[in-house]
Amino acid sequence: DWTFVTEDPTNGEVNYVPREAAISEGLVETFQDHAVIRVGALENGKRNTVRVQTNKAWDPTKSFLVTMKYRHVPYGAGVWPAFWTMSSDHVWPEGGELDIAEFANDQPNLITLHVRGECSMSKEKLRLCTPASYTWYDT
């Protein structure tokens, strides 16, 4: 139960297409055990691609678990594959977001928690849960 979002809130070099166009252009394929999302050809300086969001919300009082396995994640200048969650109680950006996987351009995976108000997380505790090879980007 997914919505293909066609608005681009970043005004980037991308053209998000609706479901029908994505299927006909071969930008999305679904299989029994996986899905494939691709970018399309360059048209007027922008590439056709998809921005997909679920129509369902999770209940934080019950729990939340997501698992993902990537066979391939594209990278390079102008590429930004990502998977994130947003609040179902507040419209973004007020509700914040948790970026679970975000590969911006040539950067390694970034995991980011965006919040409003006085919420904070201890870097010392977070470092206990991350591999020694992880690079921290302070912002």
Side-chain angles (χ1 to χ4, degrees), residues 49-70:
T49 191
V50 295
R51 180 178 178 142
V52 199
Q53 72 183 40
T54 181
N55 295 326
K56 299 183 183 209
W58 62 278
D59 182 348
T61 64
K62 294 184 179 175
S63 71
F64 174 70
L65 172 68
V66 63
T67 59
M68 300 175 71
K69 179 180 178 182
Y70 300 98

Side-chain angles (χ1 to χ4, degrees), residues 70 73-76 79-82 101-110:
Y70 300 98
V73 176
Y75 63 93
V79 179
W80 200 311
E102 188 169 20
F103 301 87
N105 299 302
D106 291 325
Q107 294 180 334
N109 183 33
L110 300 176

